[in-house]
Structures are given as C-alpha cells and as structure tokens.
Amino acid sequence: MNDKSENMIHDETDHISSDLFEIISLINSKFSDTPDLVIRKLTIKQTNEQALIIYLESLTERSAINHDVLRPLQQESGSGHPGDDLIINVGQIIAEKSFSRLEFCFLQGSSILFVNGRDEAYILDTRGLPQRAIQDSQLESSLKGAHQGFVETGGQNIAMIRRYITDRELKMKRMTVGRRGQTAVSILYLADVTNPDLIDALEQRISKVDVDVILNAGELSELIEDDPFSLFPQFVSTERPDTAASQLMQGRCVVVVDRSPNVLIAPVTFLTFFQNIDDYSIRWPIATFLRLLRLFAFFTAAFLPAFYIAVVSYHFEIIPMKLLMTLGESRGQVPFPPFVEAILMEITLEMLREAGIRLPAPIGQTVGIVGGIVIGQAVVQAGLISNIMVIVVAFTAISSFILPNYDMVAAVRLIRFILMGLATAFGFVGLVVGLMIMIAHLLTLKSLGMPYGSPITPMRLADWKDALVRVPIWLIKNRPTNSIPLQRKRRGSVRKEKNE
C-alpha cells in the first residue's frame, strides 16, 4: 500500500473501543441501509469471553465463516487467544487497533472479530468475492497459443502469470489507488532483469494518482502515461497471461489492476503493437511475413482513403487512361465531392463496427455482414457513392482488422479522418505533411521515459531480430535494449549442433 493511502486510512482518531455495545452502535451508524451486513454475537468457549463477528454476506465465503471461524471458537477444547491458529483455521489472521483499517479490510470481504475487553480486533481472511471462470481471450485470439485469459480477480491473474514464470526472481510491489473504492494495483517484474529505474518511475506515477476509484486498467494507463494528448497507446493492454509473461522475460514491467481483466505492460515501442504471441509458435519466415503485413496494413488503413481523395481531387493525371475512364464513369452520377463521399462511407463503417460490438455475438456478426452488403449495394445503385469508394473503404476495413492490438486500431481510425482532411485541402502535399508529423511524433514519444520509436530511432540494429522481423529463436540471444535490462543476454538461447 502506498504512503498516500496509508495516511488516508489513518487520518481519523479511530482507535476501537473495548466495549462490544459501543462497537455495535458504531457499526450500525456507519453501515446503515446495508442489508447484507451480518453481526453475530458468540462466546469463545476456550476463554469464556464474549465476542462479536461482523462480515458482509455478499463478499465472504459462508463455509469459511461457519467451519473455520465459528465452529473452532465454540469448541471447548484448546487454549490460547483468538489470533491463535489452534482456534481459528483461516489462512491469515491480523490484529489491528485502527477502525478505519478494519473498515478497509471489511469492505474487501474479510470478517472482523471483536473480543469484549480488548482494544484490538482480528481481521480474518474469509473473502469469497464473486468471480467468473477462466475463459479464452475475446480480443486477442490465438491459433496455437494458450486458451486462457485474465479475469477480474487480481490474485488469479497473478497466479496465471506465475504458472509461466516459476522463478523466485519474479517479484511484486503492491499498492492501493483510490479514496472511495481502494483498488489493489500490483507491479510485477523480474528482479535480476528489469531495470530498477523503470520500477521506481512506475511506482512514483501510480502513487501520485489521486482519484475516487479506479474501475479498470484503462483508466490507470491514462493517468500515468507520458503524453496524455497522443493518439497512440503508450502501454500495451493485454488479456493473455502468456503475453504478459513473455514481456516480463524481456525486462518490462506488468501492472495488474484488481477488478480488471486486462494488465498493462511498459515500457513498449511502436513495433510492440504489431507483435503477436503466435509469432513464436510458427516458423520464423511466416512470422516475419505476418509482421511486415501488419505494418503494411497499418499504413493502408491510415492512408488509403486519403490517398484516394488526393488522387481524384488533385492528381488524376497519374491514373492510367483506362482506369481513369472507369473511375470517371463510376463517379459521373455521384453528387458529392470525394471528401464527403469518403466521410459518409467511413462513418457508416464505424457505425456498423460499433453496432456489431454492442449487440450479442450472433446478431452482431449478422448486422455487420448483412448491413455492409445491403448498404453498400444500395448506396451505389442510388448513385450516392461510387463503386471505387466502396472498394477503398472495404480494403481499409480489412486492413484495420489485421492489426492485433485494439488500442492501435482505435488510433488508426482517428488518424484516418485527419489525413482525409489534409488530403482534401492540399492533396499529396497534405499527405506528406501528415506523414512527417506522424513520424516526428512517434520519434519523440516516450513510454515510461523510454523511446517509443526504438529500435528504429535510436537505431539499434541488434534489436531488429525480434522487432521489425522475427529471426529464428536460437538467434535471438539478447533482450531488447529499449527497457535497459540488467541482464542483457538471454539464457539458453544458443542452438545446439545437430550431432549433439
């Protein structure tokens, strides 16, 4: 827990009373209109003391309360005090004198045991938070990788990462963010690989976050990123534990946010968003081809509609004569200029995309396919849109679907509209200016203080083996230098000879 949260918890003079009646009165006043609050009085048979246990029925495991707490306390055999493992069988018992600290743990699902005449209470780990089963990732599907995705419980997500990295050097720093709904945030790293400066920088940024509550990892990433006005994501958000483990092995940090099915990875580069866990499960020539294809798809999705507008509006002389005649015939009945034509189709595409996402999966797929076919054919027959424009928009949509990271896809969707405006105003000159501005922004952008454009700039040719391309795994002997790892060389990465 960070210092800010600790100070927040202990601001009040909140030492608990040793009288059970005063405690009951205080609890009833602070937790009015809380129907799932349970207050049970009991007698500890071993010490013949009056006690009180409180818990939230919706957040605790009922079997743990009955079998591991109440039954041992009411047995006549045994001796000791209520914090003794001989009497209470729950995994963790903490004695605490601060009522606000007790309140924090109580709202997290722990039960609290008060004993008459004692100025301290006991926090019992009986949490039974609602959680869903582990399922395959919805956004990051994999053909040959593991079919496990993170869930909304931080402890389970950490356990899934530990399954991949069974090493004592996998360390964790835990913090708490939020004044009202305290959210547990854990920073995972390899102590002998990850640069301590990265861990300190990430820890300092999280400790400065002062909000009511953090509901998901996306909110946290926006609060701690380097450039909040950039369209490009500066943290990789992933639902896959194998992806998180792979990035940890490269010397990066993983941030696990409780109640969020995504974890954050930093620092990252622009090319990190074009990599996929399946790249390491297939042959290296195919993986290299797919990475280059994704990069080509990025520029196609961003520039193709703008290129079409620039050519039709300003530079039609570069079009071959036969194609120009076909294009002129197609656009002859269209009453709108190319920019309006492209905007109408792009907005229609975005609406169909959002409709497909928000509706149930079977209906969403039907709406996307049928809506695209029906609307595309109807607007062409009505003479509102040219055939070429429909082809351009369809090719642009397919290119955006190739990109493996949703956050980068969202950035491309906005960049596309900006470039369309520049192409409408200045033609190819606008496209070149837009490209130069985008490249300059990428080269100056940072992720957790590290260069976003690496390994292109600063130029690090050794890192190209697993960035722009993917060479055979046995040739990837070093970790990427972007995160400045303490241990540059990978272990066991040298290929054995065939005769061994």
Side-chain angles (χ1 to χ4, degrees), residues 18-19 38 77 113 115 193 285 295 332 362 392 411 441 443 458 460 475 479:
S18 59
D19 185 82
V38 178
S77 60
L113 177 66
V115 182
V193 175
L295 196 62
V392 168
H441 175 65
L443 298 184
R460 292 163 179 162
L475 285 178
R479 294 183 173 87

mmCIF file of all heavy atoms in Angstrom, residues 18-19 38 77 113 115 193 285 295 332 362 392 411 441 443 458 460 475 479:
data_model
loop_
_atom_site.group_PDB
_atom_site.id
_atom_site.type_symbol
_atom_site.label_atom_id
_atom_site.label_comp_id
_atom_site.label_asym_id
_atom_site.label_seq_id
_atom_site.Cartn_x
_atom_site.Cartn_y
_atom_site.Cartn_z
ATOM 1 N N SER A 18 -13.168 -1.093 23.509
ATOM 2 C CA SER A 18 -13.107 -2.455 24.043
ATOM 3 C C SER A 18 -14.476 -2.959 24.478
ATOM 4 O O SER A 18 -14.588 -4.098 24.929
ATOM 5 C CB SER A 18 -12.121 -2.514 25.216
ATOM 6 O OG SER A 18 -12.534 -1.618 26.247
ATOM 7 N N ASP A 19 -15.505 -2.109 24.353
ATOM 8 C CA ASP A 19 -16.856 -2.477 24.768
ATOM 9 C C ASP A 19 -17.668 -2.886 23.545
ATOM 10 O O ASP A 19 -17.778 -2.131 22.567
ATOM 11 C CB ASP A 19 -17.524 -1.304 25.486
ATOM 12 C CG ASP A 19 -18.889 -1.681 26.030
ATOM 13 O OD1 ASP A 19 -18.946 -2.276 27.114
ATOM 14 O OD2 ASP A 19 -19.893 -1.379 25.346
ATOM 15 N N VAL A 38 -23.835 -8.629 8.389
ATOM 16 C CA VAL A 38 -24.156 -9.656 9.378
ATOM 17 C C VAL A 38 -23.361 -9.374 10.654
ATOM 18 O O VAL A 38 -22.133 -9.216 10.600
ATOM 19 C CB VAL A 38 -23.835 -11.070 8.859
ATOM 20 C CG1 VAL A 38 -24.129 -12.112 9.940
ATOM 21 C CG2 VAL A 38 -24.650 -11.362 7.605
ATOM 22 N N SER A 77 -12.418 -27.583 23.648
ATOM 23 C CA SER A 77 -11.024 -28.000 23.747
ATOM 24 C C SER A 77 -10.130 -26.929 23.167
ATOM 25 O O SER A 77 -10.537 -26.111 22.357
ATOM 26 C CB SER A 77 -10.807 -29.312 22.988
ATOM 27 O OG SER A 77 -11.128 -29.142 21.620
ATOM 28 N N LEU A 113 -13.348 -9.881 13.898
ATOM 29 C CA LEU A 113 -13.693 -10.457 15.189
ATOM 30 C C LEU A 113 -13.314 -9.476 16.296
ATOM 31 O O LEU A 113 -12.146 -9.102 16.427
ATOM 32 C CB LEU A 113 -12.967 -11.782 15.389
ATOM 33 C CG LEU A 113 -13.187 -12.479 16.738
ATOM 34 C CD1 LEU A 113 -14.642 -12.920 16.875
ATOM 35 C CD2 LEU A 113 -12.239 -13.668 16.898
ATOM 36 N N VAL A 115 -13.403 -8.837 20.491
ATOM 37 C CA VAL A 115 -13.483 -9.550 21.762
ATOM 38 C C VAL A 115 -13.695 -8.524 22.862
ATOM 39 O O VAL A 115 -12.970 -7.524 22.946
ATOM 40 C CB VAL A 115 -12.213 -10.387 22.024
ATOM 41 C CG1 VAL A 115 -12.343 -11.149 23.335
ATOM 42 C CG2 VAL A 115 -11.981 -11.362 20.871
ATOM 43 N N VAL A 193 16.452 -8.874 -13.881
ATOM 44 C CA VAL A 193 16.394 -8.481 -15.295
ATOM 45 C C VAL A 193 15.899 -7.047 -15.462
ATOM 46 O O VAL A 193 16.501 -6.245 -16.180
ATOM 47 C CB VAL A 193 15.489 -9.451 -16.093
ATOM 48 C CG1 VAL A 193 15.344 -8.969 -17.539
ATOM 49 C CG2 VAL A 193 16.060 -10.857 -16.061
ATOM 50 N N PRO A 285 10.065 -17.583 -40.978
ATOM 51 C CA PRO A 285 9.754 -16.821 -42.209
ATOM 52 C C PRO A 285 8.297 -16.368 -42.263
ATOM 53 O O PRO A 285 7.993 -15.252 -42.703
ATOM 54 C CB PRO A 285 10.092 -17.795 -43.338
ATOM 55 C CG PRO A 285 10.991 -18.813 -42.731
ATOM 56 C CD PRO A 285 10.528 -18.952 -41.316
ATOM 57 N N LEU A 295 2.379 -4.252 -40.536
ATOM 58 C CA LEU A 295 2.876 -2.888 -40.692
ATOM 59 C C LEU A 295 2.334 -2.256 -41.969
ATOM 60 O O LEU A 295 1.948 -1.073 -41.986
ATOM 61 C CB LEU A 295 4.408 -2.894 -40.695
ATOM 62 C CG LEU A 295 5.102 -1.559 -40.463
ATOM 63 C CD1 LEU A 295 4.753 -0.998 -39.090
ATOM 64 C CD2 LEU A 295 6.608 -1.694 -40.592
ATOM 65 N N GLY A 332 -19.529 9.590 -62.254
ATOM 66 C CA GLY A 332 -20.306 10.530 -63.049
ATOM 67 C C GLY A 332 -21.639 10.899 -62.426
ATOM 68 O O GLY A 332 -22.102 12.038 -62.562
ATOM 69 N N PRO A 362 -23.939 -13.495 -32.043
ATOM 70 C CA PRO A 362 -24.567 -13.981 -33.292
ATOM 71 C C PRO A 362 -25.268 -12.866 -34.069
ATOM 72 O O PRO A 362 -25.180 -12.790 -35.293
ATOM 73 C CB PRO A 362 -25.571 -15.036 -32.789
ATOM 74 C CG PRO A 362 -25.089 -15.422 -31.435
ATOM 75 C CD PRO A 362 -24.483 -14.188 -30.856
ATOM 76 N N VAL A 392 -12.463 0.929 -51.779
ATOM 77 C CA VAL A 392 -11.449 1.557 -50.921
ATOM 78 C C VAL A 392 -11.805 1.386 -49.441
ATOM 79 O O VAL A 392 -10.958 1.019 -48.614
ATOM 80 C CB VAL A 392 -11.302 3.047 -51.278
ATOM 81 C CG1 VAL A 392 -10.485 3.782 -50.218
ATOM 82 C CG2 VAL A 392 -10.648 3.202 -52.640
ATOM 83 N N ALA A 411 -6.475 4.083 -32.650
ATOM 84 C CA ALA A 411 -5.668 5.236 -33.047
ATOM 85 C C ALA A 411 -5.691 5.426 -34.563
ATOM 86 O O ALA A 411 -5.813 6.550 -35.068
ATOM 87 C CB ALA A 411 -4.236 5.061 -32.551
ATOM 88 N N HIS A 441 6.175 12.691 -34.426
ATOM 89 C CA HIS A 441 5.534 12.451 -33.132
ATOM 90 C C HIS A 441 5.936 11.091 -32.573
ATOM 91 O O HIS A 441 6.224 10.965 -31.370
ATOM 92 C CB HIS A 441 4.019 12.528 -33.296
ATOM 93 C CG HIS A 441 3.262 12.189 -32.053
ATOM 94 N ND1 HIS A 441 3.322 12.952 -30.901
ATOM 95 C CD2 HIS A 441 2.430 11.139 -31.764
ATOM 96 C CE1 HIS A 441 2.571 12.409 -29.964
ATOM 97 N NE2 HIS A 441 2.018 11.309 -30.470
ATOM 98 N N LEU A 443 8.677 9.501 -33.108
ATOM 99 C CA LEU A 443 10.088 9.500 -32.724
ATOM 100 C C LEU A 443 10.330 10.268 -31.429
ATOM 101 O O LEU A 443 11.326 10.017 -30.743
ATOM 102 C CB LEU A 443 10.944 10.092 -33.856
ATOM 103 C CG LEU A 443 10.903 9.326 -35.188
ATOM 104 C CD1 LEU A 443 11.866 9.940 -36.183
ATOM 105 C CD2 LEU A 443 11.228 7.850 -34.982
ATOM 106 N N PRO A 458 16.227 5.593 -31.359
ATOM 107 C CA PRO A 458 17.606 5.429 -31.796
ATOM 108 C C PRO A 458 17.840 4.080 -32.482
ATOM 109 O O PRO A 458 17.245 3.089 -32.103
ATOM 110 C CB PRO A 458 18.402 5.539 -30.498
ATOM 111 C CG PRO A 458 17.439 5.160 -29.425
ATOM 112 C CD PRO A 458 16.105 5.639 -29.883
ATOM 113 N N ARG A 460 19.017 0.700 -33.407
ATOM 114 C CA ARG A 460 19.610 -0.445 -32.712
ATOM 115 C C ARG A 460 19.374 -1.677 -33.576
ATOM 116 O O ARG A 460 18.357 -2.364 -33.447
ATOM 117 C CB ARG A 460 18.989 -0.618 -31.328
ATOM 118 C CG ARG A 460 19.351 0.511 -30.366
ATOM 119 C CD ARG A 460 18.438 0.542 -29.171
ATOM 120 N NE ARG A 460 18.809 1.625 -28.252
ATOM 121 C CZ ARG A 460 18.016 2.113 -27.314
ATOM 122 N NH1 ARG A 460 16.783 1.640 -27.187
ATOM 123 N NH2 ARG A 460 18.419 3.071 -26.501
ATOM 124 N N LEU A 475 18.618 -17.550 -32.669
ATOM 125 C CA LEU A 475 19.491 -16.410 -32.963
ATOM 126 C C LEU A 475 19.150 -15.189 -32.112
ATOM 127 O O LEU A 475 19.904 -14.213 -32.116
ATOM 128 C CB LEU A 475 19.389 -16.033 -34.446
ATOM 129 C CG LEU A 475 20.106 -16.948 -35.443
ATOM 130 C CD1 LEU A 475 19.865 -16.467 -36.866
ATOM 131 C CD2 LEU A 475 21.596 -17.012 -35.140
ATOM 132 N N ARG A 479 18.150 -9.623 -24.943
ATOM 133 C CA ARG A 479 16.879 -8.944 -24.706
ATOM 134 C C ARG A 479 16.908 -7.570 -25.366
ATOM 135 O O ARG A 479 17.987 -7.003 -25.567
ATOM 136 C CB ARG A 479 16.631 -8.800 -23.199
ATOM 137 C CG ARG A 479 16.415 -10.127 -22.475
ATOM 138 C CD ARG A 479 16.110 -9.912 -21.010
ATOM 139 N NE ARG A 479 15.737 -11.173 -20.372
ATOM 140 C CZ ARG A 479 16.586 -12.036 -19.845
ATOM 141 N NH1 ARG A 479 17.893 -11.755 -19.866
ATOM 142 N NH2 ARG A 479 16.179 -13.163 -19.300
#
